[in-house]
């Protein structure tokens, strides 16, 4: 077996192990949830937020142990795995019951029959790893892994004026600020080309906050999910901004 195949298997294995730790108690000690027991958008749904966050962080960490080609192959494998699960659910009721027993605690009611957010998440990860530079891809994944859950939690707990049916100004601002600080921390840890002077840190912080906020505000087309639009919009904005602002440390593989 090639090294590439081994690493793709390792990536999938680590993420599956992480999910097993999260979901094992639900499988062993609870019955499959019903539609009326799943959390709504007004519920903090912390299990879902943690699963979302931890998957993204695991993917970013694994990305730095492989080439861009292998990262793209691994993310494509993850996306095709989620597509396969959804197709099996639609075709066989038994498969759907098993899926609900394992993952029901982190699903929203509409995901009982429609593709789950995780499918769109993996599609977004695949697109940014395939088409953007390494650091841009990782910052885009950070935005959807940290910004989206934090925006939801802040929007629910703080409330305030709404931007759209499911987004608030408070959530968008908190999520964007968290993404900005996470992006600076990522660059200081993973990017030798980034010199963390006060001016550089301030510039990157402001830039990444604006990018995260704008990506959060991009409306998802009907039938899609912001777990797809946020990373793609983030990647495009980071790419354009890196060229315009001469942030060449973002433009490396």
């Amino acid at each position: 077996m090639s090294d590439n195949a081994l690493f793709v298997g390792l990536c999938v294995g680590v993420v599956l192990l992480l999910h097993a730790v999260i979901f094992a108690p639900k499988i062993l000690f609870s019955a499959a949830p019903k539609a009326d027991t799943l959390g709504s958008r007004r519920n903090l749904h912390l299990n879902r937020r943690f699963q979302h966050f931890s998957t993204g962080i695991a993917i970013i960490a694994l990305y730095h142990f492989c080439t861009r080609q292998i990262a793209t192959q691994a993310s494509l494998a993850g996306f095709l795995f989620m597509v396969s699960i959804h197709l099996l659910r639609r075709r066989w009721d038994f498969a759907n019951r098993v899926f609900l027993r394992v993952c029901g605690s982190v699903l929203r009611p509409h995901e009982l029959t429609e593709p789950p957010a995780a499918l769109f998440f993996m599609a977004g990860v695949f697109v940014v790893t395939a088409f953007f530079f390494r650091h841009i891809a990782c910052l885009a994944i950070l935005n959807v892994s940290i910004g989206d859950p934090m925006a939801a939690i802040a929007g629910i707990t703080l409330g305030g004026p709404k931007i759209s049916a499911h987004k608030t100004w408070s959530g968008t601002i908190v999520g964007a600020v968290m993404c900005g600080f996470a992006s600076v921390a990522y660059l200081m840890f993973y990017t030798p080309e980034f010199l963390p002077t006060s001016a550089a840190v301030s510039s990157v912080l402001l830039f990444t906050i604006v990018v995260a906020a704008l990506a959060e505000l991009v409306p998802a087309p009907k039938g899609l999910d912001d777990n797809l639009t946020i990373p793609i919009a983030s990647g495009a904005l980071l790419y354009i901004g890196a060229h315009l602002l001469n942030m060449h440390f973002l433009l490396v593989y």
Side-chain angles (χ1 to χ4, degrees), residues 181 183-205 249:
F181 281 104
S183 296
V184 170
Y186 166 87
L187 291 172
M188 292 176 68
F189 187 77
Y190 280 118
T191 314
E193 299 87 356
F194 175 62
L195 301 177
T197 62
S198 297
V201 169
S202 299
S203 298
V204 169
L205 181 62
F249 50 83

Side-chain angles (χ1 to χ4, degrees), residues 149-196:
M150 289 306 302
I153 292 172
I156 291 169
T157 55
L158 300 178
K162 285 183 172 289
I163 302 171
S164 65
H166 304 300
K167 295 182 186 291
T168 61
W169 282 109
S170 60
T172 298
I173 292 170
V174 169
V177 170
M178 291 296 294
C179 286
F181 281 104
S183 296
V184 170
Y186 166 87
L187 291 172
M188 292 176 68
F189 187 77
Y190 280 118
T191 314
E193 299 87 356
F194 175 62
L195 301 177

Side-chain angles (χ1 to χ4, degrees), residues 6-225:
L6 285 173
F7 189 82
V8 170
L10 177 63
C11 291
V12 174
V14 168
V15 174
L16 289 176
L17 177 62
L18 184 62
H19 283 66
V21 172
I22 297 170
F23 296 127
K26 299 290 181 181
I27 301 171
L28 297 175
F29 305 116
S30 65
K34 299 177 182 179
D36 59 358
T37 64
L38 298 175
S40 69
R41 285 185 178 273
R42 297 302 304 168
N43 192 312
L44 285 179
H45 226 175
L46 294 180
N47 279 358
R48 180 187 179 94
R49 313 298 180 199
F50 178 74
Q51 179 264 338
H52 192 88
F53 164 79
S54 59
T55 301
I57 298 303
I59 289 171
I60 291 170
L62 288 168
Y63 193 172
H64 286 274
F65 290 95
C66 66
T67 65
R68 180 189 181 198
Q69 179 184 4
I70 298 175
T72 301
Q73 293 171 350
S75 58
L76 177 60
F79 169 63
L80 293 177
F81 174 76
M82 292 306 304
V83 171
S84 300
I85 292 296
H86 181 62
L87 293 176
L88 286 173
R89 290 177 60 203
R90 289 174 61 90
R91 185 170 180 84
W92 287 294
D93 183 62
F94 173 75
N96 191 47
R97 291 199 306 271
V98 171
F99 179 80
L100 293 180
R101 186 174 183 86
V102 175
C103 303
S105 63
V106 295
L107 294 178
R108 292 198 178 109
H110 72 273
E111 292 172 328
L112 291 170
T113 55
E114 298 175 14
L119 187 152
F120 296 103
F121 178 88
M122 288 309 306
V125 170
F126 167 65
V127 170
V128 297
T129 54
F131 293 100
F132 294 110
F133 293 100
R134 177 188 297 264
H135 296 314
I136 288 178
C138 288
L139 293 184
I141 296 169
L142 264 183
N143 280 0
V144 70
S145 302
I146 295 177
D148 194 40
M150 289 306 302
I153 292 172
I156 291 169
T157 55
L158 300 178
K162 285 183 172 289
I163 302 171
S164 65
H166 304 300
K167 295 182 186 291
T168 61
W169 282 109
S170 60
T172 298
I173 292 170
V174 169
V177 170
M178 291 296 294
C179 286
F181 281 104
S183 296
V184 170
Y186 166 87
L187 291 172
M188 292 176 68
F189 187 77
Y190 280 118
T191 314
E193 299 87 356
F194 175 62
L195 301 177
T197 62
S198 297
V201 169
S202 299
S203 298
V204 169
L205 181 62
L206 179 60
F207 171 52
T208 51
I209 287 174
V210 171
V211 166
L214 291 175
E216 175 73 17
L217 295 176
V218 173
K222 186 176 181 180
L224 299 180
D225 188 275

